[in-house]
Amino acid sequence: MSEQTADGRVGDAGGDEQGPTGGTQDEQREPATGRDGQEATTVLAEEPKDTLTTTEHTLQAEDGPLRYRARAGRLVLRRETTGEKGFEGHTAVAEIGVTSYEVLDDAGLPDTARPVTFVFNGGPGASSVWLHLGVLGPRRVLLGDAPDLAPPPGRLADNPQTLLAETDLVFVDPVSTGFSRVRSGRDAKEFHGFTGDVESVAEVIRLWTTRNDRWLSPKLLAGESYGTLRAVAVASHLQQRHHMAVNGIALISMVLDMGTIRFHHGDDRPYVAFLPTYAALGHYHGVAGRGVPLREHVAAAAEFARGPYAAALAAGSRLADDERARVVARAAELTGLSEDYLDRAGLRVEHQRFYAELLRHEKKVVGRLDGRFVGTEDDAVHERPSVDPFITATGGPYTAAYLHYAATELGYRNDLPYKVLSELVHPWSYKEFEGRAVSVAEDLGALLRRNPHLRVHVACGYYDGATPFAAAEDTVAQLRVPREALDRVETAYYESGHMMYLHEPSRLQQCADLKAFVRRSVGAER
């Protein structure tokens, strides 16, 4: 028996199909006849339904008031089962958390000609709460910024710069993140991998588009981190499986080729890609580039990394001693690491080692997702940080904010724990890429060649130690596309980390950049 993803039916708004907490539905009992002729009772589980609440709100945005409809809850994901005789039915396989926002017209109805943007974070295992309440949605978390963070649990505020001013928004929590879960009896592993994840997220997009009469709306995707890899793969899947073309893809903290960020013996690409980020972090913490503007410093580091440094790594034992000494000295000058450490590391510094080493003299470690954040360990001789100071500082406030917001403002409650960063998805399967690096760079190239209207926005944080900006630059530079297609790819840089919107000046600039990108993508630039 084969399975192909297909749709279910939308439940009425209000969330009463599964009760106010989204728990298991009541069972139906149907009389049946036993072997002895006596009436027996067969227990049948009621078919699951979507649980969506609907609320209306008004926001005073930058360009005036926005009246919008919010829907929050879970959609039932079904798969079409087929056998030798063809179609056999739909099987509920998962319930997917979705929060959508649609601007309403004077008649109180959504404008189906407006663009709609489907949003997800990455991980794998991250819910969409970061982009949702960090930068794009109509409400946002007030957390402060490194190093002056507000005490927990943080608080909520309106977001006058919301992207909702330009496009309707649909935030998707992939299976096992947020409130999304597989149905009882299903194996979650079928979703915890590249293909299963792409197919399920794409199906949510197709379902939402169909049920809300949005096939004629311009469509965009926005992903962060692993979500950028997912966004390209989903766009390719939608185009090939459903002939649904997208107008724009926003790749925030982009990684399309895992080979550029994963450290393996014999592949020096990550060392070259990370060195400019190391330089940026050394500059931020005052141990490198003193008196030199940040962008000038990282430009010099990128030039060095792709030139003398890359050549030195490639030369290996053929590198002359005097040349090696010059490369070691320059790398130390740019990054803030000691010449002794770089020499003992063989010029190859793995990123987690860097985060432990940079401020070791202060007995501090720096964050991976945002190197502006610092923390301490139980001693100062760790090879790698035991935790990321960024996650410990931000995970709690974002979780608290979403749970409060969903329950008190969107009217959706669920007794399940909300998985902001889910451990349930691991180990994540990349079986499709056995023997080679995980990459969708070729898929992006194909999308740009086949869709001459597609635009791509790449957002990079200088202090992002997870997806370095130089790796994103290298991936774009290697796309096999005509020059005209490259002209449709834009890159924006921010003096912040992986979630660049935690830096207020960067958040404001990113909001403006994304709004302009949406307008360009749908041909409405003004």
Side-chain angles (χ1 to χ4, degrees):
M1 178 180 293
S2 63
E3 292 187 337
Q4 180 177 347
T5 306
D7 69 335
R9 294 297 302 165
V10 178
D12 294 333
D16 56 353
E17 293 87 353
Q18 294 187 356
T21 60
T24 303
Q25 300 175 85
D26 293 335
E27 296 171 328
Q28 290 183 332
R29 296 184 179 272
E30 182 175 286
T33 303
R35 292 182 179 178
D36 57 1
Q38 298 296 316
E39 185 176 278
T41 300
T42 300
V43 179
L44 300 176
E46 186 179 343
E47 184 68 9
K49 299 178 181 178
D50 296 353
T51 53
L52 295 171
T53 62
T54 300
T55 53
E56 292 189 8
H57 311 262
T58 299
L59 169 71
Q60 189 62 40
E62 285 185 313
D63 296 329
L66 281 180
R67 181 187 175 198
Y68 63 93
R69 178 176 72 188
R71 284 181 171 171
R74 300 200 296 181
L75 299 178
V76 178
L77 189 68
R78 290 178 169 82
R79 282 186 175 163
E80 181 179 323
T81 57
T82 58
E84 294 181 357
K85 296 182 180 180
F87 175 77
E88 292 184 348
H90 291 153
T91 302
V93 295
E95 294 173 76
I96 309 296
V98 174
T99 305
S100 64
Y101 300 97
E102 298 171 276
V103 169
L104 302 177
D105 60 20
D106 292 339
L109 299 173
D111 179 359
T112 56
R114 283 191 104 228
V116 57
T117 301
F118 298 91
V119 184
F120 31 78
N121 275 80
S127 77
S128 61
V129 69
W130 306 95
L131 288 173
H132 185 176
L133 295 183
V135 63
L136 301 182
R139 298 277 277 166
R140 70 183 187 95
V141 177
L142 293 182
L143 184 60
D145 190 23
D148 300 317
L149 295 178
R155 58 192 180 91
L156 280 165
D158 283 343
N159 181 13
Q161 296 82 28
T162 176
L163 194 61
L164 185 60
E166 298 292 339
T167 169
D168 291 345
L169 299 167
V170 182
F171 295 91
V172 180
D173 290 341
V175 172
S176 298
T177 74
F179 289 132
S180 300
R181 302 290 189 274
V182 295
R183 292 290 298 167
S184 177
R186 303 292 303 195
D187 187 352
K189 291 181 180 179
E190 63 185 287
F191 300 99
H192 296 167
F194 176 80
T195 296
D197 174 70
V198 167
E199 290 180 345
S200 60
V201 172
E203 179 61 5
V204 171
I205 293 172
R206 187 193 69 83
L207 287 178
W208 193 94
T209 299
T210 299
R211 294 171 178 177
N212 291 277
D213 299 326
R214 301 303 291 266
W215 276 91
L216 290 182
S217 297
K219 299 170 192 67
L220 299 93
L221 305 179
E224 181 177 278
S225 192
Y226 181 83
T228 63
L229 190 148
R230 176 190 287 134
V232 170
V234 165
S236 180
H237 180 87
L238 289 171
Q239 182 167 293
Q240 294 179 32
R241 179 70 65 85
H242 303 300
H243 300 283
M244 180 189 290
V246 299
N247 300 74
I249 307 176
L251 304 174
I252 301 168
S253 300
M254 184 187 93
V255 56
L256 302 187
D257 183 349
M258 292 289 194
T260 63
I261 68 169
R262 289 186 170 176
F263 294 82
H264 297 291
H265 180 72
D267 186 353
D268 287 331
R269 289 182 298 163
Y271 297 105
V272 174
F274 271 88
L275 191 137
T277 296
Y278 297 165
L281 293 175
H283 186 279
Y284 178 82
H285 290 289
V287 295
R290 294 184 181 92
V292 180
L294 171 65
R295 300 196 179 211
E296 181 179 332
H297 183 65
V298 296
E303 182 179 3
F304 168 75
R306 292 172 179 139
Y309 178 68
L313 297 184
S317 61
R318 296 167 294 187
L319 187 65
D321 289 346
D322 57 346
E323 179 61 21
R324 176 187 173 85
R326 283 193 291 271
V327 172
V328 167
R330 182 58 171 156
E333 179 185 15
L334 288 167
T335 64
L337 296 175
S338 71
E339 292 185 29
D340 175 66
Y341 183 83
L342 283 160
D343 182 58
R344 287 186 289 112
L347 280 171
R348 293 175 173 88
V349 180
E350 188 270 343
H351 67 327
Q352 293 284 11
R353 289 179 172 178
F354 175 85
Y355 308 141
E357 183 65 24
L358 182 66
L359 299 181
R360 191 182 298 278
H361 61 286
E362 298 179 11
K363 297 183 179 180
K364 295 177 181 178
V365 296
V366 302
R368 172 176 172 265
L369 291 175
D370 192 327
R372 299 173 305 142
F373 286 73
V374 297
T376 59
E377 297 283 351
D378 55 352
D379 60 44
V381 295
H382 281 270
E383 181 185 14
R384 296 174 172 84
S386 60
V387 296
D388 187 339
F390 172 84
I391 293 297
T392 58
T394 60
Y398 270 78
T399 302
Y402 180 78
L403 288 171
H404 176 84
Y405 174 58
T408 64
E409 298 186 30
L410 303 183
Y412 180 73
R413 299 176 184 271
N414 195 309
D415 285 344
L416 290 170
Y418 186 81
K419 294 288 187 179
V420 169
L421 292 171
S422 176
E423 74 286 356
L424 302 176
V425 306
H426 299 291
W428 190 261
S429 172
Y430 294 107
K431 62 182 180 181
E432 301 84 356
F433 300 92
E434 186 174 358
R436 60 191 177 98
V438 177
S439 177
V440 296
E442 291 185 5
D443 297 82
L444 179 59
L447 287 166
L448 286 164
R449 291 193 303 270
R450 295 167 185 171
N451 181 355
H453 304 287
L454 174 65
R455 289 186 173 273
V456 176
H457 173 88
V458 180
C460 300
Y462 284 119
Y463 306 130
D464 177 2
T467 57
F469 64 88
E473 293 172 343
D474 292 345
T475 298
V476 171
Q478 295 298 325
L479 292 175
R480 297 181 179 181
V481 296
R483 176 61 61 181
E484 175 278 328
L486 282 178
D487 291 341
R488 291 182 274 119
V489 181
E490 61 187 55
T491 304
Y493 298 87
Y494 305 93
E495 295 183 18
S496 189
H498 198 65
M499 285 81 162
M500 55 278 296
Y501 37 85
L502 288 181
H503 176 236
E504 183 63 7
S506 294
R507 184 189 74 83
L508 295 173
Q509 185 60 53
Q510 186 170 35
C511 288
D513 292 344
L514 288 171
K515 288 179 179 179
F517 170 68
V518 170
R519 292 193 293 269
R520 284 191 292 273
S521 297
V522 302
E525 181 64 279
R526 58 179 184 269

